[in-house]
Amino acid sequence: MKSVHTLKDTKMAHPVGYYSLSHDNALIKDMCETWGEGLEKMSESDTLWLIARVAHQAWLECESSTAPSNEAESVFKRLHELKQWEKFALISAMVQ
């Protein structure tokens, strides 16, 4: 089993266009100019902070007014049980 120790594999970074993001959006263009086409130059700290902020904003704007399930709340309370690389792997698994 391969152990993942970083959030991003900079050798395998897809350009933002792979995710249907376009330079027609000024924010996406600015991000690519700052951190590269695959955002590969973004620090791990910036990546994690932005993932949290983007996810929170998307959750607030979600059409569903459903509160998180008890199961999701339980996972949140137990995140301390995971090693850092396991948290990264879990993020990847959830976005697939």
Side-chain angles (χ1 to χ4, degrees):
M1 178 175 162
K2 181 182 172 190
S3 176
V4 180
H5 294 285
T6 61
L7 182 60
K8 297 195 302 189
D9 184 352
T10 57
K11 296 177 199 165
M12 302 298 288
H14 292 294
V16 296
Y18 177 86
Y19 303 98
S20 301
L21 297 170
S22 169
H23 284 222
D24 292 341
N25 182 298
L27 174 59
I28 300 304
K29 181 180 178 192
D30 290 347
M31 290 176 72
C32 289
E33 287 174 359
T34 302
W35 293 302
E37 279 301 308
L39 308 177
E40 67 278 359
K41 296 175 189 169
M42 186 181 288
S43 72
E44 187 172 272
S45 179
D46 282 351
T47 299
L48 290 169
W49 186 82
L50 281 171
I51 287 170
R53 300 288 66 89
V54 170
H56 186 254
Q57 189 68 34
W59 179 70
L60 289 174
E61 295 172 2
C62 184
E63 292 178 16
S64 170
S65 60
T66 305
S69 67
N70 289 338
E71 293 82 5
E73 290 279 354
S74 177
V75 169
F76 175 70
K77 291 175 184 174
R78 295 179 62 195
L79 287 175
H80 66 275
E81 296 177 25
L82 299 176
K83 295 176 183 164
Q84 188 75 342
W85 74 266
E86 291 172 313
K87 291 173 187 168
F88 297 161
L90 182 58
I91 290 169
S92 295
M94 287 190 298
V95 297
Q96 295 302 315

